[in-house]
């Protein structure tokens, strides 16, 4: 057992027997070798534990909860058991790029001003690799960016454990979904988050995972949790909105919500109102975040995309900074 590993790769496990071997193999294949692999099984009822125990590498540490305690409990236990200076998160159905740890450690050691980083992903859809979105430049996520979405894909993230311990950052035990979104929002209260240009993982989608089923069965509960997270961000950064605009902002960002043009205009107005109330140093970054949000909404709502160029031309927030041309290119695809 390696008690001096610089990096703890942490994998929470629940009924992942189909994928756990490829997940673990991707850690064993890392070009960077100074790691420990910490796995915690949360009461699996399949063969996950047996497959994990079949590995004999001394760098692997395996624990089991006393029953099914839920993902926030398991993730918090992982934070407590991690020995490394850095913790790299990896979901049991995802696969790390061979140079993920090498690239992540090198970045954090060269840029001590940052304590949280991640990167891009490609996708594993029904076992086939699909290219993820192209990241044109390194992105630094600050403060208000997390009002929109989680700044990182969990399976690309590496965090300096000094930040976690000093600021007592933990997963909310009530968030059985979006717990990683809340965790990274808490990190952003104390540090910027960097997303480098490199692809660091293959993210598995298109399979009927526990998370996928939960999304279908608990959509309303998930929207309520995400609204709570966004409200905490609004409060932390003292974003000034009327009670009506705050409620409208939260409701318009609900997952799977179909927006009409009038609602799109209202959201655009609220985003501009948020921008006007923030410090000058934050405005350009927020403008880019807002443009990404509005672009995604146009693309996801077919009836809006049919008028995408018109909306792009007539939305004031698209008139600023260079990202507007990237937004236009995405709308033309």
């Amino acid at each position: 057992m390696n008690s001096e590993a610089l990096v703890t790769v942490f994998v929470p496990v629940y009924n992942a027997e189909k994928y756990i071997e490829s997940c673990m193999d991707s850690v064993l294949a890392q070009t960077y070798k100074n790691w420990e692999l910490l796995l915690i099984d949360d009461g699996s009822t399949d063969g996950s534990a047996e497959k994990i125990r079949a590995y004999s590498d001394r760098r692997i540490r395996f624990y089991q909860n006393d029953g099914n305690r839920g993902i926030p409990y398991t993730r918090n236990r992982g934070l407590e058991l991690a020995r490394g200076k850095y913790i790299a998160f990896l979901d049991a159905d995802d696969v790390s790029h061979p140079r993920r740890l090498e690239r992540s450690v090198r970045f954090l050691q060269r840029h001590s001003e940052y304590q949280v980083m991640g990167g891009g992903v490609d996708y594993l859809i029904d076992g086939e690799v699909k290219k993820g979105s192209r990241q044109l430049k390194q992105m630094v996520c600050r403060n208000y960016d997390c009002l929109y979405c989680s700044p990182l894909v969990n399976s690309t993230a590496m965090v300096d454990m000094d930040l976690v311990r000093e600021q007592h950052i933990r997963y909310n035990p009530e968030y059985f979904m979006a717990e990683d979104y809340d965790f990274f929002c808490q990190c952003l209260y104390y540090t910027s988050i960097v997303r480098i240009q490199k692809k660091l993982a293959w993210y598995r989608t298109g399979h009927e995972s526990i998370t996928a089923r939960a999304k279908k069965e608990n959509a309303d509960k998930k929207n309520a949790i995400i609204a709570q997270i966004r409200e905490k961000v609004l409060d932390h950064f003292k974003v000034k909105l009327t009670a009506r605009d705050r409620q409208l902002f939260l409701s318009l960002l609900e997952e799977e919500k179909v927006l009409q043009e009038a609602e799109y205009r209202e959201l655009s107005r609220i985003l501009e109102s948020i921008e006007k109330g923030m410090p000058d140093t934050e405005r350009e970054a927020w403008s880019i975040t807002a443009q990404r949000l509005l672009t995604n909404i146009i693309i996801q709502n077919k009836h809006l995309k049919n008028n995408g160029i018109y909306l792009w031309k007539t939305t004031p927030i698209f008139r600023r900074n260079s990202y507007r041309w990237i937004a236009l290119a995405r709308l033309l695809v």
Side-chain angles (χ1 to χ4, degrees):
M1 195 172 289
N2 185 359
S3 61
E4 298 181 356
L6 188 68
V7 179
T8 296
V9 181
F10 170 51
V11 181
V13 180
Y14 180 72
N15 287 351
E17 66 175 344
K18 291 182 180 179
Y19 311 112
I20 192 61
E21 290 171 311
S22 59
C23 173
M24 295 177 68
D25 289 345
S26 75
V27 178
L28 291 167
Q30 289 293 302
T31 56
Y32 181 86
K33 301 300 183 184
N34 190 14
W35 51 260
E36 63 169 5
L37 175 56
L38 170 65
L39 303 106
I40 301 179
D41 182 77
D42 188 32
S44 291
T45 57
D46 65 359
S48 296
E50 288 71 19
K51 291 201 171 185
I52 293 169
R53 289 194 185 99
Y55 286 77
S56 58
D57 194 298
R58 293 169 60 85
R59 295 170 293 179
I60 296 173
R61 299 166 58 204
F62 179 46
Y63 297 83
Q64 292 178 287
N65 292 338
D66 55 348
N68 180 225
R69 302 293 297 271
I71 189 63
Y73 174 92
T74 304
R75 290 197 186 282
N76 281 330
R77 191 178 181 200
L79 295 179
E80 296 297 331
L81 292 172
R83 295 172 173 171
K85 173 175 173 52
Y86 304 117
I87 187 167
F89 300 117
L90 180 60
D91 292 340
D93 53 354
D94 293 339
V95 177
S96 284
H97 187 282
R99 296 182 63 190
R100 175 196 174 185
L101 298 184
E102 174 191 337
R103 288 167 170 165
S104 300
V105 170
R106 181 171 61 232
F107 179 86
L108 288 176
Q109 289 185 330
R110 289 179 176 177
H111 302 276
S112 58
E113 68 272 27
Y114 300 117
Q115 292 179 287
V116 184
M117 60 79 61
V121 296
D122 287 324
Y123 296 95
L124 285 170
I125 303 175
D126 296 327
E128 295 186 13
V129 176
K130 304 290 184 182
K131 291 293 184 183
S133 59
R134 184 182 174 205
Q135 190 168 304
L136 297 180
K137 63 178 181 178
Q138 182 168 295
M139 299 290 291
V140 178
C141 308
R142 299 184 180 90
N143 299 352
Y144 303 89
D145 292 358
C146 55
L147 275 171
Y148 165 31
C149 64
S150 178
L152 294 177
V153 175
N154 192 64
S155 287
T156 72
M158 182 176 283
V159 179
D160 190 326
M161 284 299 295
D162 287 345
L163 173 71
V164 173
R165 295 182 181 114
E166 290 169 6
Q167 304 301 337
H168 306 288
I169 298 173
R170 293 294 184 271
Y171 292 91
N172 189 317
E174 297 181 2
Y175 292 170
F176 66 98
M177 294 178 175
E179 76 290 338
D180 51 343
Y181 179 16
D182 180 64
F183 179 87
F184 293 129
C185 284
Q186 292 180 64
C187 292
L188 270 175
Y189 297 164
Y190 306 104
T191 186
S192 295
I193 292 178
V194 178
R195 192 163 59 250
I196 65 173
Q197 289 174 274
K198 302 295 184 180
K199 301 289 181 66
L200 299 180
W202 286 275
Y203 177 81
R204 197 181 300 274
T205 186
H207 62 305
E208 189 67 7
S209 66
I210 297 300
T211 301
R213 287 202 298 274
K215 284 181 180 178
K216 295 173 186 176
E217 296 167 0
N218 301 290
D220 290 343
K221 292 180 181 179
K222 182 175 183 182
N223 277 324
I225 289 171
I226 291 176
Q228 288 178 28
I229 295 169
R230 288 174 175 149
E231 285 225 70
K232 288 191 293 185
V233 176
L234 288 169
D235 291 340
H236 182 85
F237 293 115
K238 298 180 173 58
V239 176
K240 295 181 180 179
L241 290 174
T242 65
R244 175 186 177 277
D245 279 356
R246 175 181 278 234
Q247 186 56 44
L248 190 58
F249 174 76
L250 296 172
S251 66
L252 291 177
L253 289 184
E254 289 181 355
E255 285 194 355
E256 310 300 330
K257 187 175 183 65
V258 177
L259 265 63
Q260 302 304 317
E261 182 176 337
E263 293 172 312
Y264 167 89
R265 299 288 185 190
E266 282 280 74
L267 180 58
S268 174
R269 176 186 61 78
I270 294 170
L271 295 177
E272 287 221 72
S273 175
I274 292 173
E275 182 179 326
K276 290 176 182 177
M278 64 177 54
D280 291 343
T281 54
E282 297 284 352
R283 287 182 180 174
E284 183 177 2
W286 170 251
S287 179
I288 292 173
T289 296
Q291 289 178 37
R292 286 167 48 211
L293 167 56
L294 293 175
T295 302
N296 287 340
I297 287 174
I298 293 172
I299 291 171
Q300 291 164 6
N301 291 268
K302 187 175 180 181
H303 57 287
L304 294 180
K305 189 173 182 182
N306 291 338
N307 296 316
I309 305 305
Y310 169 72
L311 293 175
W312 180 81
K313 289 181 177 179
T314 56
T315 302
I317 210 163
F318 277 123
R319 296 173 187 165
R320 296 186 289 280
N321 69 53
S322 59
Y323 185 85
R324 66 190 295 263
W325 299 109
I326 300 174
L328 176 61
R330 291 188 62 201
L331 293 175
L332 290 173
V333 172

